[in-house]
C-alpha cells in the first residue's frame, strides 16, 4: 500500500511505515518461536495472566537442543532427548504450545527443522511482512522482502502478548553487488566478502538492503544465506526486494496464498510494489563488484576475519591500531595459527555441512557434487551433513544425495542446529579444527576450545576430501557452476495505575530526586510493572580494551539451557574467566580486585554484544552485578535487551571522553552514571563525559516502566490495525489457517495443535495443514 504521494523511500521505510501503529510501535505479522529463547517469555505471560494475541501468526519448532541422531525409533521427546537440561527446554516448549494453543512442529513431525528454514519452507514468511523470532538469524527471512529481525526474550514476550514491538527506526544501508559470479563463487562467498569489507559493526543501527545484478540472479536459497549473515555484518536486518524468483518459490507453499487464486493475485500486486524508489536516500552505500570475489574463508574468531582461499593468515605486524593488533594476536593464538601460513596448508579435523545459513537443498546438492565418487581424507575424524528440515532431508534422500555422502564417509543426520553452536551432543573437542558452513566462528562457538573456519558448502565438501582447507575451483576446473545459485521519541501512553504521561512530565525526569543519593548503590526501586528504576549508579568500573565482544563470549551456549532468567552471573564470560580445567584465569579483569565487585563495564573497542540475540547475556551481566556498560558502540539486539532488564548501555563515541573514563576504571576508582542528567562523573564528582539516550528509553528506565503494560494500552489501535490488515492483506490471516478454524473460535483463532506422540514416516501426519 505505499502511497504515490509519499517522498521517495526505501523498501525498509515502506514496510516499517505500513506496520506502524503509533510512534515506534509496529505490528508483527509473523512470530517464530524456538525452545531456547521462549521459556522465560511464556513464564512472563503466565505470571501476568496474559494470553498469546495471535496464535495464528505464531509458529513454533524445536531446533537448537535436539539430538540429530536417527529418529527411527522416536516415540516422544521425553525419552528421546538424553541430556536433562535440553530435554527440559524442549518439553517446556511442548507444554507452552499446548497451553497457549500454538502451532508446533515437534520432533515427530517431518516439517520440524531449523526455525529459519521452516518459516520460508512453509510459506509462513511472505514479502512485505514483519517477521521476528528470539534468534539473531531471523534476518534470513529478509530474502523475501520482509522486515525480519532477531529479538530478545523480553521482546518475545512482548510480541506474544501484544503482536507488536516497540522498535526504533534504523538507518538505511545499501549494499549493491554487480556482475556475474566467478567460477566456484557462491552467495556465501559474497556475504563473507562483504562482511570482510564492512566489518562486523559495519551495519550497526542499519537495515541493509542487498541489490544489484548479482543479487537479482541468485536463487531464494542463496538470497537466504546472504540475508542470514547480514546480522554478522552488524545490521538489524537484511533484505532483498521480492521479484519473480521470490514469487516462483512461494507458489504452492502451504501457508502462502493459494497459487493462482484471487488472493494470490491480490498479494502478487502488493508484492510487486515492494521495492526501494530509485531516488530513495541511503545513509550508507557500499558497492562491490562480483569480479573481486573468489571463494572466501575465515581464518580467525570473528566473521570479519576472512581471506580468499588463495590467501594467507594475517600477520599482526602489519597492523598499527593496538586494539586491532591485540585482537589478531589473540585470535591467532586461539586458532592455533602462525602468521603468514597459506590457508590451503591448514589441516582440518572435522567438517560440518548444515546450519540456517547453508542447510537447504541447494547447499546439499552443491556439496554432493564435490563429494560424489570421492572419499573423505583419512585425517578427517568426523564429517557430517545436517539438513535444515525434515522436508529437506526427505528431498535429498529422494535425489539419492544421502547415499553420496554416506559412501564418501559422511554422517547423514536428522534436522537441527547441531554443530553450528553445539547445544546438542554435536560439538568440537578443544583445539579441533572444523570446516563449517555455519555463520559464526566465535571462540568456543562449536565447542569449548574448538576452531571454526567459515565457508560455503562446496568448500566444506572440498575440505573434507582434501583434509585441509581447499580451493573448490580445483575440483571443478572451468568452474562449471557459478552455482545454480540460481537455481523522535515515542509519545508515551498512559501507564497502568498512573495518570496519563505528558511531554511535560517527561521533561520532569530531569528533576526526579535521587533516592539514596550519595551512596554507591544504584537507585533501584521496584515499580508496579516489576522493572527496577535506574537513576544514578555509582561503582567500580572494570576496563575491557576489546573490540567486537560477542554474546557467545558473554555467556556461552551451555548456559542457555536454563528456563530461568536468574543465576547466570557465575557463567558470565565463562571461557575468559575460567581455564579449561575450571580454575580461575587470573589475567581476566573480573577475577582481579577491585573488579570482582564491578557494577560498570568500560569497553574501549566497538560493537559490544554482537552476534546472538541471547538475552542471557544481559541477564548474566546483571546477575554478576553489572548494570551499565560503556562502549563506543553496541550491537543492536544486545542494546535493546539491556533496556528490557533495567540496564543502561552508554555509547560514547568520543575517544577522548572514553579514554578519560577508561583511565578511572584502570585506576580501580569508582565512577558515577547519572541517567537523569546524562552525565558520567569521576569519584570526586568531576564530569568525565555527557551521553545521549533516546527520550522514551530514558523515560522507561527512570520510571521503571514495563513496555508490555504500556503497549497493551494501545489495544484499540492494535485492533484497528488488524481490521485494516485483514482487509488489505487478507492473505496474512492465512486462508490455510482460517479454513481450519473451529466453530466458536474468535476471528483469528485456530485450533490448538496437539503435540504428536509418534507420527514419523506417515505420509499424512496429524499436524498437516
Ligand atoms: C540461541 C539463540 C539465541 C542464538 C541466536 O540468537 O543467534 C543462536 O541461534 C545462535 O546462533 O547463537
Ligand atoms: S545460527 Fe546456528 S544455532 Fe543459530 S539458529 Fe542458525 S543454525 Fe541454529
Amino acid at each position: 500500500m505505499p502511497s504515490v504521494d509519499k517522498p521517495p523511500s526505501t523498501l525498509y521505510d515502506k514496510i516499517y511505515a505500513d506496520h506502524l501503529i503509533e510512534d515506534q510501535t509496529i505490528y508483527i505479522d509473523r512470530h517464530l518461536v524456538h525452545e531456547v529463547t521462549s521459556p522465560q517469555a511464556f513464564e512472563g505471560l503466565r505470571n501476568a495472566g496474559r494470553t498469546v494475541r495471535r496464535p495464528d501468526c505464531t509458529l513454533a519448532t524445536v531446533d537448537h537442543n535436539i539430538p540429530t541422531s536417527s529418529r527411527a525409533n522416536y516415540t516422544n521427546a521425553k525419552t528421546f532427548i538424553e541430556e536433562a537440561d535440553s530435554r527440559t527446554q524442549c518439553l517446556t516448549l511442548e507444554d507452552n504450545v499446548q497451553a497457549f494453543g500454538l502451532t508446533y512442529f515437534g520432533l515427530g513431525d517431518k516439517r520440524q527443522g531449523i526455525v529459519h528454514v521452516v518459516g520460508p519452507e512453509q510459506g509462513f514468511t511472505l514479502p512485505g511482512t514483519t517477521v521476528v523470532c528470539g534468534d539473531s538469524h531471523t534476518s534470513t527471512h529478509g530474502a523475501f522482502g520482509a522486515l525480519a529481525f532477531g529479538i530478545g526474550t523480553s521482546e518475545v514476550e512482548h510480541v506474544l502478548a501484544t503482536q507488536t514491538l516497540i522498535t526504533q527506526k534504523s538507518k538505511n544501508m545499501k549494499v549493491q553487488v554487480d556482475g556475474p559470479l566467478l567460477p566456484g563463487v557462491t552467495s556465501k562467498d559474497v556475504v563473507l566478502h562483504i562482511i570482510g569489507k564492512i566489518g562486523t559493526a559495519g551495519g550497526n543501527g542499519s537495515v541493509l538492503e542487498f541489490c544489484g545484478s548479482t543479487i537479482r540472479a541468485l536463487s531464494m536459497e542463496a538470497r537466504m544465506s546472504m540475508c542470514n549473515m547480514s546480522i554478522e555484518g552488524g545490521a538489524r536486518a537484511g533484505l532483498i526486494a521480492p521479484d519473480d524468483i521470490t514469487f516462483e518459490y512461494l507458489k504452492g507453499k502451504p501457508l502462502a496464498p493459494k497459487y493462482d487464486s484471487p488472493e494470490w493475485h491480490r498479494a502478487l500486486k502488493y508484492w510487486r510494489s515492494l521495492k526501494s524508489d530509485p531516488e530513495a536516500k541511503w545513509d550508507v552505500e557500499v558497492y562491490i563488484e562480483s569480479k573481486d570475489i573468489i571463494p572466501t574463508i575465515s581464518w580467525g574468531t570473528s566473521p570479519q576475519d576472512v581471506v580468499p582461499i588463495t590467501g594467507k593468515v594475517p600477520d599482526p605486524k602489519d597492523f598499527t591500531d593496538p586494539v586491532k593488533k591485540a585482537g589478531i594476536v589473540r585470535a591467532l593464538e586461539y586458532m592455533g595459527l602462525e602468521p603468514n601460513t597459506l590457508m590451503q596448508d591448514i589441516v582440518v579435523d572435522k567438517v560440518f555441512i548444515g546450519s540456517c545459513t547453508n542447510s537447504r537443498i541447494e547447499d546439499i546438492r552443491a556439496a554432493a557434487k564435490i563429494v560424489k565418487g570421492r572419499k573423505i581424507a583419512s585425517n578427517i575424524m568426523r564429517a557430517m551433513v545436517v539438513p535444515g528440515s525434515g522436508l529437506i532431508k526427505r528431498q535429498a534422500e529422494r535425489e539419492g544425495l544421502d547415499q553420496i555422502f554416506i559412501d564418501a564417509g559422511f554422517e547423514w543426520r536428522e534436522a537441527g542446529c547441531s554443530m553450528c553452536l553445539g547445544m546438542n551432543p554435536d560439538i568440537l573437542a578443544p583445539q579441533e579444527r572444523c570446516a563449517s558452513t555455519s555463520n559464526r566462528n566465535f571462540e568456543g562457538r562449536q565447542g569449548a576450545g574448538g576452531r571454526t573456519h567459515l565457508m560455503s558448502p562446496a568448500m566444506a565438501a572440498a575440505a573434507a576430501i582434501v583434509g585441509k582447507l581447499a580451493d573448490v575451483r580445483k575440483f571443478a576446473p572451468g568452474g562449471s557452476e557459478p552455482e545454480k545459485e540460481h537455481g523522535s521519541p515515542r509519545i508515551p501512553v498512559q501507564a497502568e495505575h498512573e495518570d496519563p504521561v505528558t511531554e511535560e512530565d517527561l521533561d520532569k525526569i530531569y528533576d526526579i530526586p535521587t533516592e539514596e543519593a550519595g551512596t554507591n548503590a544504584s537507585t533501584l526501586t521496584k515499580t508496579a510493572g516489576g522493572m527496577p528504576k535506574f537513576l544514578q549508579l555509582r561503582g567500580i568500573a572494570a576496563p575491557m580494551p576489546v573490540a567486537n565482544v560477542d554474546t557467545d563470549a558473554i555467556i556461552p551456549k551451555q548456559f542457555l539451557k536454563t528456563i530461568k532468567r536468574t543465576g547466570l552471573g557465575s557463567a558470565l564470560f565463562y571461557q575468559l574467566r575460567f581455564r579449561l580445567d575450571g580454575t580461575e584465569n587470573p589475567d581476566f579483569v573480573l577475577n582481579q580486585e577491585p573488579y570482582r565487585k564491578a557494577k560498570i563495564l568500560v569497553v574501549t573497542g566497538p560493537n559490544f554484544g554482537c552476534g546472538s540475540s541471547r538475552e542471557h547475556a544481559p541477564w548474566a551481566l546483571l546477575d554478576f552485578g553489572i548494570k551499565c556498560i560503556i562502549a563506543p558502540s553496541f550491537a543492536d539486539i544486545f542494546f535493546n535487551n539491556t533496556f528490557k532488564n533495567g540496564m543502561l548501555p552508554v555509547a560514547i563515541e568520543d575517544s577522548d571522553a572514553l579514554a578519560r573514563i577508561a583511565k578511572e576504571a584502570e585506576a580501580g576508582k569508582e565512577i558515577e552514571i547519572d541517567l537523569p542528567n546524562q552525565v558520567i562523573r569521576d569519584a570526586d564528582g568531576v564530569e568525565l563525559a555527557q551521553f545521549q539516550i533516546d527520550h522514551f528509553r530514558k523515560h522507561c528506565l527512570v520510571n521503571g516502566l514495563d513496555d508490555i503494560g504500556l503497549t497493551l494500552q494501545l489495544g484499540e489501535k492494535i485492533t484497528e490495525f488488524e481490521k485494516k490488515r485483514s482487509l488489505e492483506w487478507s492473505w496474512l490471516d492465512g486462508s490455510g489457517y482460517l479454513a481450519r478454524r473451529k466453530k466458536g473460535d474468535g476471528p483469528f483463532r485456530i485450533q490448538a495443535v496437539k503435540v504428536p506422540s509418534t507420527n514419523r514416516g506417515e505420509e499424512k501426519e496429524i499436524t498437516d495443514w
Side-chain angles (χ1 to χ4, degrees):
M1 298 180 306
S3 136
V4 270
D5 304 328
K6 284 183 186 157
S9 47
T10 64
L11 174 54
Y12 162 58
D13 294 336
K14 292 178 188 179
I15 302 177
Y16 188 91
D18 279 354
H19 288 81
L20 202 55
I21 292 178
E22 182 179 285
D23 305 306
Q24 297 176 7
T25 304
I26 60 167
Y27 194 79
I28 298 302
D29 296 314
R30 296 289 184 253
H31 188 190
L32 290 151
V33 173
H34 66 64
E35 78 277 18
V36 179
T37 51
S38 64
Q40 297 86 348
F42 284 113
E43 185 189 38
L45 280 192
R46 271 201 184 84
N47 290 345
R50 291 170 177 152
T51 55
V52 175
R53 185 177 177 97
R54 294 295 299 260
D56 63 321
C57 298
T58 312
L59 179 60
T61 191
V62 273
D63 51 8
H64 285 71
N65 266 305
I66 52 163
T68 54
S69 51
S70 166
R71 290 179 207 159
N73 298 321
Y74 176 80
T75 51
N76 59 53
K78 198 170 173 181
T79 52
F80 186 70
I81 305 174
E82 285 173 20
E83 208 277 314
D85 291 340
S86 296
R87 185 170 61 236
T88 303
Q89 255 186 1
C90 293
L91 294 180
T92 303
L93 180 59
E94 296 201 341
D95 286 348
N96 285 328
V97 295
Q98 296 237 29
F100 290 93
L102 306 183
T103 305
Y104 170 64
F105 297 162
L107 281 174
D109 191 311
K110 67 185 174 196
R111 294 161 301 175
Q112 173 272 335
I114 306 172
V115 74
H116 310 305
V117 173
V118 166
E121 193 169 72
Q122 292 298 322
F124 188 69
T125 307
L126 292 171
T129 53
T130 46
V131 182
V132 296
C133 174
D135 197 286
S136 55
H137 288 102
T138 310
S139 57
T140 312
H141 309 260
F144 291 79
L147 173 57
F149 51 92
I151 55 178
T153 297
S154 298
E155 291 178 315
V156 169
E157 184 182 336
H158 193 284
V159 177
L160 289 171
T162 68
Q163 205 58 34
T164 69
L165 204 62
I166 301 173
T167 178
Q168 292 171 304
K169 190 81 200 303
S170 303
K171 289 183 290 186
N172 279 294
M173 177 168 180
K174 170 163 103 170
V175 177
Q176 183 166 335
V177 192
D178 283 313
L181 291 177
L182 292 177
V185 177
T186 70
S187 62
K188 180 67 165 283
D189 303 293
V190 178
V191 74
L192 285 173
H193 178 90
I194 292 170
I195 295 165
K197 288 266 171 263
I198 66 173
T200 50
N204 276 178
S206 304
V207 166
L208 182 165
E209 181 173 336
F210 294 110
C211 58
S213 63
T214 312
I215 308 297
R216 294 262 72 90
L218 295 175
S219 68
M220 283 316 292
E221 280 87 347
R223 292 178 190 186
M224 282 189 253
S225 304
M226 292 205 58
C227 289
N228 173 278
M229 287 199 71
S230 50
I231 183 73
E232 263 62 63
R236 185 87 183 96
L239 45 73
I240 295 175
D243 58 15
D244 286 338
I245 292 177
T246 321
F247 312 142
E248 190 59 36
Y249 177 96
L250 288 170
K251 274 186 193 166
K253 293 282 184 280
L255 301 179
K258 192 167 182 296
Y259 178 59
D260 216 18
S261 65
E263 196 162 57
W264 168 267
H265 289 289
R266 285 195 326 117
L268 202 58
K269 189 162 173 239
Y270 173 62
W271 294 345
R272 287 198 192 283
S273 75
L274 293 167
K275 45 170 100 73
S276 294
D277 297 325
E279 314 78 30
K281 294 223 169 2
W282 300 93
D283 299 294
V284 189
E285 293 178 53
V286 176
Y287 291 91
I288 287 181
E289 290 194 58
S290 64
K291 68 174 173 47
D292 296 335
I293 311 173
I294 71 160
T296 301
I297 198 156
S298 74
W299 61 266
T301 53
S302 161
Q304 69 187 9
D305 296 343
V306 294
V307 282
I309 182 63
T310 48
K312 51 188 185 169
V313 174
D315 192 332
K317 283 204 205 100
D318 300 336
F319 295 82
T320 46
D321 174 355
V323 173
K324 221 177 229 169
K325 200 183 189 114
I328 293 178
V329 170
R330 159 112 199 155
L332 291 183
E333 192 191 324
Y334 181 85
M335 292 296 289
L337 292 173
E338 288 299 323
N340 301 312
T341 307
L342 287 177
M343 291 307 288
Q344 291 179 69
D345 284 347
I346 298 174
V347 176
V348 169
D349 305 306
K350 286 187 174 165
V351 176
F352 170 63
I353 297 177
S355 88
C356 57
T357 320
N358 284 124
S359 62
R360 297 180 179 82
I361 191 69
E362 267 186 18
D363 301 315
I364 296 176
R365 286 183 191 140
K369 229 176 249 180
I370 301 296
V371 167
K372 192 169 183 180
R374 299 183 163 113
K375 297 269 181 235
I376 62 174
S378 56
N379 61 299
I380 299 291
M381 296 153 65
R382 189 175 186 195
M384 55 203 295
V385 183
V386 186
S389 72
L391 292 177
I392 291 173
K393 180 168 185 275
R394 286 177 182 217
Q395 174 65 27
E397 286 167 359
R398 272 197 290 274
E399 296 177 20
L401 305 181
D402 56 330
Q403 209 48 54
I404 293 176
F405 287 109
I406 292 166
D407 291 347
F410 276 82
E411 294 172 34
W412 179 249
R413 315 281 300 182
E414 295 277 348
C417 293
S418 179
M419 205 191 270
C420 173
L421 94 165
M423 281 187 76
N424 74 348
D426 306 336
I427 54 169
L428 296 181
Q431 301 187 351
E432 272 179 0
R433 189 178 298 283
C434 183
S436 178
T437 66
S438 53
N439 42 42
R440 290 185 174 145
N441 50 348
F442 302 142
E443 288 187 23
R445 171 76 182 177
Q446 296 189 291
R451 296 162 174 165
T452 304
H453 293 272
L454 305 174
M455 63 197 75
S456 74
M459 289 280 282
I465 304 302
V466 176
K468 292 180 188 175
L469 299 179
D471 189 340
V472 69
R473 295 171 302 177
K474 295 185 183 159
F475 283 75
S480 36
E481 34 238 279
E483 288 248 306
K484 234 195 76 254
E485 280 252 308
H486 204 149
S488 85
R490 177 175 189 266
I491 309 280
V493 290
Q494 186 179 347
E496 275 173 285
H497 318 301
E498 274 189 60
D499 291 335
V501 182
T502 61
E503 273 295 330
E504 206 184 320
D505 292 331
L506 263 180
D507 291 331
K508 285 189 200 144
I509 292 167
Y510 300 99
D511 303 319
I512 289 174
T514 310
E515 296 166 42
E516 300 176 51
T519 74
N520 69 351
S522 61
T523 50
L524 296 172
T525 25
K526 282 263 178 189
T527 61
M531 276 272 281
K533 290 183 179 186
F534 192 120
L535 296 167
Q536 276 86 11
L537 172 70
R538 185 182 165 122
I540 294 292
M544 206 177 243
V546 191
N548 300 313
V549 176
D550 59 79
T551 50
D552 276 68
I554 299 173
I555 180 95
K557 45 60 193 338
Q558 62 269 36
F559 303 104
L560 308 188
K561 298 188 184 188
T562 174
I563 55 170
K564 299 280 166 217
R565 294 173 195 248
T566 47
L568 289 169
S570 55
L572 178 70
F573 290 116
Y574 192 80
Q575 279 177 202
L576 298 168
R577 258 165 87 201
F578 303 102
R579 300 193 183 105
L580 283 177
D581 64 7
T583 56
E584 271 192 5
N585 170 9
D587 297 336
F588 188 64
V589 64
L590 297 182
N591 289 335
Q592 298 163 359
E593 294 300 348
Y595 304 116
R596 287 179 190 273
K597 292 192 198 69
K599 289 185 181 169
I600 301 156
L601 210 55
V602 180
V603 186
T604 40
N607 200 26
F608 186 85
C610 59
S612 154
S613 66
R614 54 191 74 173
E615 198 165 315
H616 309 68
W619 294 338
L621 285 159
L622 198 57
D623 200 52
F624 182 88
I626 292 172
K627 298 178 190 71
C628 171
I629 304 110
I630 301 172
S633 61
F634 293 88
D636 294 337
I637 308 179
F638 175 84
F639 190 72
N640 283 337
N641 284 344
T642 51
F643 285 104
K644 308 287 171 193
N645 291 281
M647 298 165 71
L648 176 65
V650 179
I652 302 280
E653 281 173 34
D654 174 352
S655 54
D656 292 339
L658 192 59
R660 281 196 298 273
I661 301 167
K663 203 168 151 214
E664 298 299 304
E666 282 154 18
K669 294 186 187 162
E670 288 190 339
I671 62 171
E672 184 187 49
I673 319 293
D674 179 346
L675 174 56
N677 292 303
Q678 297 179 212
V679 171
I680 301 175
R681 301 189 190 93
D682 70 11
D684 301 324
V686 177
E687 181 175 312
L688 293 167
Q690 298 188 358
F691 60 91
Q692 299 300 316
I693 179 171
D694 171 74
H695 214 43
F696 176 66
R697 290 196 199 269
K698 174 174 172 179
H699 173 68
C700 287
L701 273 186
V702 296
N703 292 301
L705 296 181
D706 156 30
D707 275 5
I708 301 182
L710 286 175
T711 304
L712 282 173
Q713 293 176 40
L714 291 180
E716 274 178 29
K717 289 196 173 170
I718 301 174
T719 307
E720 274 307 302
F721 183 91
E722 283 173 333
K723 279 190 195 145
K724 181 181 109 179
R725 178 181 177 267
S726 294
L727 282 174
E728 297 189 25
W729 305 319
S730 52
W731 59 91
L732 294 184
D733 291 331
S735 48
Y737 294 105
L738 290 173
R740 296 169 60 248
R741 211 153 45 101
K742 257 198 323 180
K743 248 199 172 155
D745 281 348
F748 307 113
R749 295 285 180 265
I750 53 154
Q751 193 174 347
V753 174
K754 286 210 176 67
V755 178
S757 53
T758 173
N759 54 5
R760 192 81 190 155
E762 294 162 30
E763 269 322 304
K764 181 83 187 145
E765 296 178 350
I766 60 167
T767 48
D768 271 352
W769 302 107

